[in-house]
């Protein structure tokens, strides 16, 4: 089974995707994480992507599509994949369809998580990541047991540079202009479901898991 999580920045895609992928035994493939990993590793792709990410803009389709294709070639993708933060444009959705088709696979479900803008800004502004192990926290909704330090490894918690208020505004604008229409691609293939993400984390997880399990 292969699933796609759509939705604006801050809606909780990453949190939900991690839980749902684990429950269903899928590989959690988050393009944002792949790109941040490439930046940390100092690869050419990372260098190319950094300027776009810092400005809150989308990294060009060909760069992201290539990263995804390469990741799908690794053996652990064979059990099925949950795509998080990808596709973000219609050409990316078309590229993903073609890549999966070449592997005899398809997207079975596309879940579009939505919440009001005020909720998104609140969720983004409190988001923190461990600079060492990348564990994710939220100062209000999922605080670390060790305050400003990571509850898992003790590393310092930092705010993602693109989570600062001025970049968040740009990312929401980019979402509306370039990504919001991607849902239409999946409506056409009959795999689309709108998910109310303005609910407690567990209620959203149960909703998505219920829908995905009915596909199995
Ligand atoms: P995310 O972690 O999903 O919020 O992504 C962080 C940033 O990485 C985005 O603001 C984009 O600059 C870049 N990015 C992640 N996924 C994609 C994608 N599918 N297409 C283009 N840019 C992406």
């Amino acid at each position: 089974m292969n699933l796609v999580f759509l939705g604006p920045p801050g809606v909780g895609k990453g949190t939900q995707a991690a839980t749902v992928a684990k429950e269903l035994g899928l590989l959690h493939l988050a393009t944002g994480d792949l790109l941040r990993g490439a930046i940390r590793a100092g690869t050419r792709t990372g260098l190319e992507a950094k300027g776009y990410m810092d400005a809150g803009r989308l990294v060009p389709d060909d760069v992201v599509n290539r990263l995804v294709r390469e990741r799908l070639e690794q053996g652990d993708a064979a059990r099925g994949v949950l795509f998080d933060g990808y596709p973000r444009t219609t050409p990316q959705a078309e590229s993903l369809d073609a890549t999966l088709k070449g592997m005899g696979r398809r997207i079975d479900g596309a879940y579009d998580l939505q919440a009001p803008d005020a909720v998104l800004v609140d969720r983004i502004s409190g988001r923190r990541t461990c600079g060492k192990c990348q564990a994710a926290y939220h100062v209000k909704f999922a605080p670390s047991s060790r305050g400003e330090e990571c509850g898992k490894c003790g590393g310092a918690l930092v705010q993602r540079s693109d989570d600062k208020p001025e970049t968040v505004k740009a990312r929401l604008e980019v979402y509306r202009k370039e990504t919001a229409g991607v849902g239409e691609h999946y409506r056409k293939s009959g795999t689309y479901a709108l998910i109310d993400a303005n609910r407690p984390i567990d209620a959203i997880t149960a909703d998505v898991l219920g829908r995905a399990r009915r596909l199995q």
Side-chain angles (χ1 to χ4, degrees), residues 15-213:
T15 304
Q16 292 296 335
T19 312
V20 170
K22 199 167 163 214
E23 284 287 325
L24 298 175
L26 303 173
L27 168 71
H28 176 196
L29 195 162
T31 42
D33 289 345
L34 286 183
L35 290 165
R36 282 184 288 277
I39 291 174
R40 279 196 303 277
T43 66
R44 233 185 66 198
T45 303
L47 288 176
E48 208 177 337
K50 191 174 180 334
Y52 294 99
M53 292 173 75
D54 284 345
R57 292 171 54 202
L58 292 186
V59 175
D61 288 340
D62 58 335
V63 175
V64 182
N65 288 336
R66 194 184 61 230
L67 259 185
V68 170
R69 272 199 308 272
E70 285 170 4
R71 186 64 189 85
L72 289 178
E73 279 165 13
Q74 293 173 30
D76 58 353
R79 59 194 152 116
V81 181
L82 197 168
F83 296 92
D84 164 11
Y86 178 87
R88 263 175 156 99
T89 64
T90 302
Q92 288 183 17
E94 288 163 353
S95 167
L96 179 60
D97 283 350
T99 303
L100 289 176
K101 196 169 175 194
M103 303 167 82
R105 290 158 62 171
R106 62 187 287 265
I107 293 297
D108 302 286
Y111 302 114
D112 190 3
L113 280 65
Q114 291 291 336
D117 275 9
V119 173
L120 305 178
V121 172
D122 207 27
R123 287 183 185 169
I124 293 180
S125 60
R127 184 152 71 180
R128 299 288 181 273
T129 314
C130 171
K132 224 159 102 189
C133 77
Q134 314 310 314
Y137 297 93
H138 191 285
V139 291
K140 220 157 64 184
F141 308 124
S144 164
S145 56
R146 293 167 69 175
E148 300 287 294
E149 290 172 2
C150 177
K152 291 185 179 130
C153 79
L157 300 188
V158 292
Q159 186 174 39
R160 261 169 57 176
S161 58
D162 62 346
D163 276 353
K164 305 261 156 73
E166 49 299 354
T167 318
V168 168
K169 197 164 161 266
R171 287 166 63 205
L172 285 171
E173 273 163 22
V174 165
Y175 168 76
R176 275 192 206 100
K177 208 165 131 237
E178 306 193 47
T179 307
V182 174
E184 191 52 33
H185 180 86
Y186 294 104
R187 256 190 221 109
K188 283 187 196 145
S189 64
T191 50
Y192 178 89
L194 180 64
I195 306 292
D196 174 9
N198 190 18
R199 292 183 286 172
I201 291 177
D202 291 352
I204 304 165
T205 308
D207 185 358
V208 173
L209 270 178
R211 289 169 192 266
R213 287 197 169 118

